[in-house]
C-alpha cells in the first residue's frame, strides 16, 4: 500500500455477541456454525441479521427467542401431568365408590399449573391445563380387597405466551388398579398406559417476516404407582389422610418436522425418558357422599424426582433447523 493510504479489513461478528441469555446464545451459536456450511438455506434470516446495527441487540434477541422452539422443552412436564391425572382419577374414583356393593365409578377431572421461567437462562413461563374423565369398574371386591380396570380421556393445552407458542391435543388412557385395606394402612396400586395426539403452533418472527410453524406428533406414556395411605384424623363428614408413595413414569415421543415456516421451521428429534418420583401428600376429603351422591377431596403433595437413564426427564429438547444440513 502507498504511504498514507488506509487499509480497511471487514469481518463478521459471531451472532452470539447479540445474545443476552443462555437460550439465545445456544440458538446464535448454531446460526454462526452453519452459516457457511453446504445445504444451509437461511438466506432471508442471515440477510436481515446483517442489516442490524449497534444498538439493535434487542431486535436480535427477540428473533433468537422466537426461533428457538422453546415450547417443546415443556413437553416432558406435560407428560408427567398427564400420568399424574391417571393416578388422581383412580384416587378420586375409589374415594367416591367406597359404598358396599358399588362396582362402577366415574371421576371428572380438571387441573391447571404453571412452569416458572428462569430469567438468568432466559426461559419463558408456560401454563398447562388438563380436562377429562376417568371411569372404572371393580372386577374383584372381596373383604378388604378391590381390583378393577379403568379407562378415560383428557384434553390438554400447553401455552407459552412469551414465545407465542401453544400445544393442544387429547389423550386416552387404559389401566388397572388394586387396593388392599390392612389394619392401619391402605395400600393402593395403579398401572396405566396413555396415548396422546398433539398439534403445535408457534409464531416465528424476525424483521418484518412472520411465519406460523405447525407440527403434529404422538406420545405414549406409562405409569406404575404404589401408595400407602395411613389412618389419621376423621369426623363424620371430613377425613384427613397422610399419603406416601413411589411411581415409575416413562414417556416416548416420536420425532416430527414442522411445516408452514419454510426453512425457519424445526425438525424435532424423538424423545424417550423414564424417571422415578417419590410422593409425600396429605389428603382432605368427605367421609360420606354428599346429597347428590358425589364426594369431594383435595390433596397437597410434595415430590422428589430421580432419573433412571440418560434420556431422563428434563426441560430440554433436541431440534434441527429445517434450513440447515446439520
Amino acid at each position: 500500500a502507498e504511504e498514507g493510504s488506509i487499509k480497511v479489513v471487514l469481518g463478521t461478528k459471531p451472532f452470539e455477541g447479540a445474545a443476552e441469555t443462555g437460550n439465545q446464545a445456544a440458538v446464535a451459536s448454531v446460526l454462526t456454525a452453519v452459516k457457511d456450511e453446504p445445504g444451509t438455506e437461511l438466506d432471508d434470516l442471515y440477510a436481515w441479521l446483517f442489516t442490524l446495527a449497534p444498538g439493535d441487540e434487542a431486535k436480535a434477541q427477540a428473533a433468537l427467542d422466537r426461533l428457538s422452539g422453546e415450547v417443546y422443552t415443556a413437553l416432558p412436564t406435560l407428560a408427567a401431568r398427564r400420568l399424574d391425572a391417571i393416578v388422581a382419577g383412580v384416587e378420586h374414583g375409589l374415594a367416591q365408590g367406597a359404598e358396599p356393593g358399588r362396582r362402577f365409578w366415574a371421576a371428572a377431572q380438571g387441573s391447571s399449573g404453571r412452569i416458572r421461567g428462569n430469567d438468568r437462562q432466559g426461559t419463558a413461563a408456560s401454563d398447562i391445563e388438563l380436562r377429562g374423565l376417568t371411569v372404572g369398574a371393580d372386577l374383584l371386591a372381596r373383604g378388604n380387597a378391590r381390583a378393577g380396570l379403568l379407562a378415560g380421556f383428557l384434553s390438554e393445552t400447553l401455552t407459552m405466551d412469551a414465545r407465542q407458542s401453544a400445544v393442544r391435543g387429547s389423550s386416552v388412557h387404559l389401566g388397572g388398579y388394586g387396593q388392599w385395606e390392612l389394619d392401619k394402612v391402605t395400600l393402593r396400586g395403579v398401572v396405566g398406559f396413555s396415548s396422546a395426539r398433539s398439534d403445535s403452533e408457534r409464531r416465528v418472527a424476525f424483521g418484518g417476516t412472520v411465519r406460523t410453524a405447525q407440527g403434529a406428533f404422538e406420545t405414549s406414556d406409562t405409569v406404575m404407582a404404589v401408595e400407602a395411605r395411613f389412618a389419621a384424623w376423621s369426623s363424620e363428614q371430613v377425613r384427613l389422610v397422610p399419603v406416601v408413595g413411589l411411581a415409575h413414569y416413562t414417556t416416548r415421543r416420536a420425532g416430527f418436522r414442522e411445516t408452514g415456516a419454510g426453512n425457519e421451521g424445526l425438525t424435532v428429534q424423538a424423545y424417550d425418558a423414564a424417571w422415578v418420583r417419590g410422593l409425600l401428600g396429605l389428603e382432605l376429603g368427605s367421609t360420606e357422599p354428599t346429597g347428590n351422591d358425589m364426594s369431594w377431596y383435595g390433596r397437597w403433595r410434595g415430590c422428589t424426582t430421580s432419573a433412571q437413564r440418560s434420556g431422563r426427564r428434563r426441560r430440554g429438547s433436541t431440534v434441527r433447523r429445517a434450513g440447515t444440513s446439520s
Side-chain angles (χ1 to χ4, degrees), residues 66 72 163-166 200-205 209-215 258-262 264-266:
R66 293 290 190 88
Y72 299 126
R163 304 291 183 259
Q164 293 193 9
S165 303
S200 64
E201 182 175 290
R202 63 188 189 91
R203 295 293 178 88
V204 179
T209 301
V210 180
R211 297 184 176 124
T212 300
Q214 297 176 316
E258 291 181 328
T259 61
E264 283 73 43
L266 298 174

Side-chain angles (χ1 to χ4, degrees), residues 176-193:
Y177 60 89
Q179 178 173 283
W180 299 266
E181 296 181 8
L182 305 177
D183 184 19
K184 294 184 178 181
V185 179
T186 297
L187 300 178
R188 181 177 294 166
V190 179
V191 176
F193 169 80

Side-chain angles (χ1 to χ4, degrees), residues 292-311:
N292 59 2
D293 202 34
M294 295 291 288
S295 65
W296 58 270
Y297 85 111
R299 166 174 285 200
W300 170 88
R301 64 168 63 189
C303 301
T304 60
T305 303
S306 63
Q308 283 294 94
R309 58 176 181 261
S310 59

Side-chain angles (χ1 to χ4, degrees), residues 90-131:
V90 173
E91 293 167 352
H92 195 183
L94 292 183
Q96 65 171 271
E99 294 181 356
R102 169 171 272 178
R103 304 297 296 269
F104 301 96
W105 52 263
Q109 296 177 262
S111 66
S112 60
R114 164 161 281 224
I115 306 173
R116 290 180 295 179
N118 185 309
D119 292 337
R120 184 175 62 85
Q121 288 294 323
T123 57
S126 54
D127 295 290
I128 294 175
E129 185 174 289
L130 301 175
R131 297 287 183 269

Side-chain angles (χ1 to χ4, degrees), residues 31-86:
L31 294 176
T32 299
V34 304
K35 178 183 177 298
D36 296 320
E37 286 189 1
T40 299
E41 300 177 356
L42 297 171
D43 294 344
D44 291 346
L45 175 58
Y46 286 124
W48 175 75
L49 287 171
F50 285 126
T51 66
L52 299 180
D56 287 338
E57 287 82 3
K59 295 180 181 179
Q61 292 160 9
L64 293 172
D65 283 336
R66 293 290 190 88
L67 291 166
S68 68
E70 187 182 340
V71 68
Y72 299 126
T73 68
L75 292 179
T77 302
L78 177 61
R81 298 289 177 85
R82 185 185 300 131
L83 295 172
D84 284 343
I86 297 176

Side-chain angles (χ1 to χ4, degrees), residues 241-274:
V241 183
V243 182
V244 297
L246 193 67
H248 180 266
Y249 290 179
T250 70
T251 184
R252 176 171 294 178
R253 184 181 72 244
F256 63 97
R257 181 170 180 169
E258 291 181 328
T259 61
N263 292 328
E264 283 73 43
L266 298 174
T267 297
V268 182
Q269 303 300 316
Y271 183 88
D272 183 7

